[in-house]
Amino acid sequence: IDEFDRIWKVWEPIVREHVKNSGTICPEWPESTSYWKLPKVRRFCKDLGLMKAEIHGCRMGFKSDEGRPINKPLLFATNDSHIYASLDVYRCSGCKSHFPCSGKYTKRSEEYTDQMAWVIHKAWHEAAARISRQMSQPKPGNKDAAATSSMQFLPTALAPAVVTVKP
């Protein structure tokens, strides 16, 4: 938790400022991690009105070497309703049994399957396109409406920020 606290101390104010400036966020952790229960994380999610989308690994192609589905639930906390709706539908659809997420599969579960990466990328892309359309609409009563409508929104504004925390 010490490393988490150190990262959180730097990360949280940056993300709050990003959201204050209409930024979209979507942090992800395993559903069972104790981080979700920390008071500062709960307050952060509540303050920013984050919706928690749940994805199950078995719906995203996470399987054992023998092909048995592995159900590793992940939570994505987002302030974007489209991203939430795009992700929250990927829950277990009733697999007869799941292979345990243990041993070598624990480490593998830290990586996204190709399907999961595609679904997440598509959700971000569609959210960015929607925001771009909204930002390019002239605001009523804006005397600079012509300039506003020709503005380009750069999707890179939605790109994940990387913050390096040094001890």
Side-chain angles (χ1 to χ4, degrees), residues 33-103:
T33 188
S34 60
Y35 297 157
W36 291 116
K37 295 180 178 93
L38 292 173
K40 62 184 157 197
V41 172
R42 294 169 66 95
R43 184 175 49 254
F44 174 82
C45 291
K46 184 178 178 186
D47 289 353
L48 300 182
L50 302 184
M51 301 164 280
K52 291 180 184 168
E54 188 170 336
I55 284 183
H56 294 170
C58 59
R59 282 291 304 274
M60 291 292 179
F62 187 36
K63 298 178 181 178
S64 69
D65 293 338
E66 298 79 29
R68 288 186 51 206
I70 299 174
N71 181 10
K72 175 161 182 189
L74 298 171
L75 288 180
F76 293 77
T78 184
N79 60 338
D80 185 281
S81 59
H82 178 79
I83 291 174
Y84 169 80
S86 297
L87 300 180
D88 200 52
V89 296
Y90 290 96
R91 296 182 186 209
C92 180
S93 58
C95 300
K96 292 184 181 183
S97 67
H98 293 105
F99 195 84
C101 186
S102 59

Side-chain angles (χ1 to χ4, degrees), residues 2-167:
D2 289 341
E3 183 179 10
F4 174 84
D5 287 337
R6 195 168 44 84
I7 293 169
W8 185 265
K9 185 177 179 181
V10 174
W11 182 83
E12 182 186 16
I14 293 169
V15 173
R16 283 184 181 273
E17 186 67 20
H18 179 64
V19 170
K20 186 173 127 184
N21 290 301
S22 302
T24 301
I25 64 168
C26 191
E28 168 271 321
W29 289 313
E31 184 272 335
S32 62
T33 188
S34 60
Y35 297 157
W36 291 116
K37 295 180 178 93
L38 292 173
K40 62 184 157 197
V41 172
R42 294 169 66 95
R43 184 175 49 254
F44 174 82
C45 291
K46 184 178 178 186
D47 289 353
L48 300 182
L50 302 184
M51 301 164 280
K52 291 180 184 168
E54 188 170 336
I55 284 183
H56 294 170
C58 59
R59 282 291 304 274
M60 291 292 179
F62 187 36
K63 298 178 181 178
S64 69
D65 293 338
E66 298 79 29
R68 288 186 51 206
I70 299 174
N71 181 10
K72 175 161 182 189
L74 298 171
L75 288 180
F76 293 77
T78 184
N79 60 338
D80 185 281
S81 59
H82 178 79
I83 291 174
Y84 169 80
S86 297
L87 300 180
D88 200 52
V89 296
Y90 290 96
R91 296 182 186 209
C92 180
S93 58
C95 300
K96 292 184 181 183
S97 67
H98 293 105
F99 195 84
C101 186
S102 59
K104 65 183 176 184
Y105 300 109
T106 304
K107 185 68 177 162
R108 281 191 199 169
S109 74
E110 294 175 4
E111 300 174 7
Y112 290 172
T113 62
D114 290 344
Q115 181 184 357
M116 187 181 301
W118 186 86
V119 166
I120 293 166
H121 183 273
K122 184 174 186 268
W124 274 101
H125 177 76
E126 290 170 355
R130 186 192 74 248
I131 292 167
S132 179
R133 286 190 302 274
Q134 290 171 348
M135 291 182 75
S136 66
Q137 302 272 328
K139 304 245 187 303
N142 182 353
K143 47 188 166 175
D144 297 323
T148 304
S149 64
S150 66
M151 286 175 43
Q152 288 285 76
F153 171 74
L154 301 176
T156 53
L158 291 178
V162 177
V163 178
T164 304
V165 180
K166 296 184 179 182

